[in-house]
Amino acid sequence: MSITRLPLPGPTRETLAHRQRIDWHDHAVNQLISPGIGVLVVSTPTGTWAVPPHRAVWIPAGVAHAHEAHGPSEMRTLCFAADVNPLRLDRPTVLAVSPLLREIVAVLTGAAHSTDGTSPDLPPDLPHEQRRNLERVALDQLQRVEALPLGLPAPRDARLRDVAALLTADPGDGRTLAELGAAVGASERTLSRLFRAETGMSFPQWRAQLRLHHSLRLLAGGAPVTSVAAACGYATPSAFIESFRRAFGTTPGAYRGGGAHT
């Protein structure tokens, strides 16, 4: 895997097409990404994080990562010096950002001044002191945000990777861990132990996270809620709606309709 060091001189805003990918890179600074529209999937060698518009993701300096957009997306980013880390995080983390922090990101990246809300332009030429004040408020807000357990750890064991590949190809696959184990040549007990040891999750928790990630991708692509529920293996649309609401703070219907967008 080739990693490019990309400079981040300040706030940025970039429009990404559906399935557009930004390949592996890192930064010398900490980065906060708050999508304006669409879903951004952030990948690292240790896992993936799905970030809808009403959330943000903190990416520490020096962490290699790649992005992929699902649905037409807008990536808004702020950067902070490597020694400025109010969250004290050493890995990417999805955050439940406040409306004030989202608005500060919009102002600093120029999104609040865009004529159509989506097209990219240069960040506004704010007076230096005003920009510094907004950045200080952003840092204050970051000390108050809630870190959300929305990452999907990548297993290392070959048998777990085979199970993960089967479920990634079909998140609606309803086979039990014992049945999946038979397909990859491992016992249920062994796989269960390995899931906890390598991902910090039980197998049901890991699969639930995978299905939620997949649901964001499908919704961003315009799929109806009932179809997404079925494709992700939920017994009923209402079960999917409740699971989605608990994870993302909004219903999938409101999310598809733009009610969660900023």
Side-chain angles (χ1 to χ4, degrees), residues 2 18 26 29 68 73 80 88 96 98 111 131-133 140 154 180 187 189-191 204 212 215 235 243 254 256 262:
S2 176
H18 178 52
D26 68 4
V29 294
E68 185 174 68
S73 302
F80 302 93
R88 295 181 175 84
S98 67
R131 180 181 295 279
R132 292 296 301 148
N133 286 339
D140 178 72
L180 290 165
S187 71
R189 183 175 180 178
T190 295
L191 292 176
L212 284 169
S215 75
S243 179
R256 277 197 73 234
T262 304

Side-chain angles (χ1 to χ4, degrees), residues 164-185:
L166 290 172
L167 296 180
T168 299
D170 179 13
D173 189 332
R175 280 180 287 180
T176 66
L177 188 57
E179 291 169 329
L180 290 165
V184 303

Side-chain angles (χ1 to χ4, degrees), residues 18-19 39 41 48-51 68 70 150 152 166-173 206-224 227-234 240 244 248 255:
H18 178 52
R19 301 307 295 269
V39 171
V41 175
T48 60
W49 290 260
V51 195
E68 185 174 68
H70 292 268
L150 296 181
L152 184 69
L166 290 172
L167 296 180
T168 299
D170 179 13
D173 189 332
W206 190 92
R207 175 153 65 181
Q209 199 82 307
L210 172 72
R211 288 173 168 176
L212 284 169
H213 278 214
H214 189 59
S215 75
L216 283 174
R217 294 178 172 96
L218 295 178
L219 290 167
S227 298
V228 174
C232 293
Y234 290 91
F240 166 54
F244 190 95
F248 300 115
Y255 171 77

Side-chain angles (χ1 to χ4, degrees), residues 25-41:
H25 63 283
D26 68 4
H27 307 289
V29 294
N30 297 313
Q31 185 181 32
L32 179 74
I33 301 176
S34 181
I37 58 172
V39 171
L40 191 69
V41 175

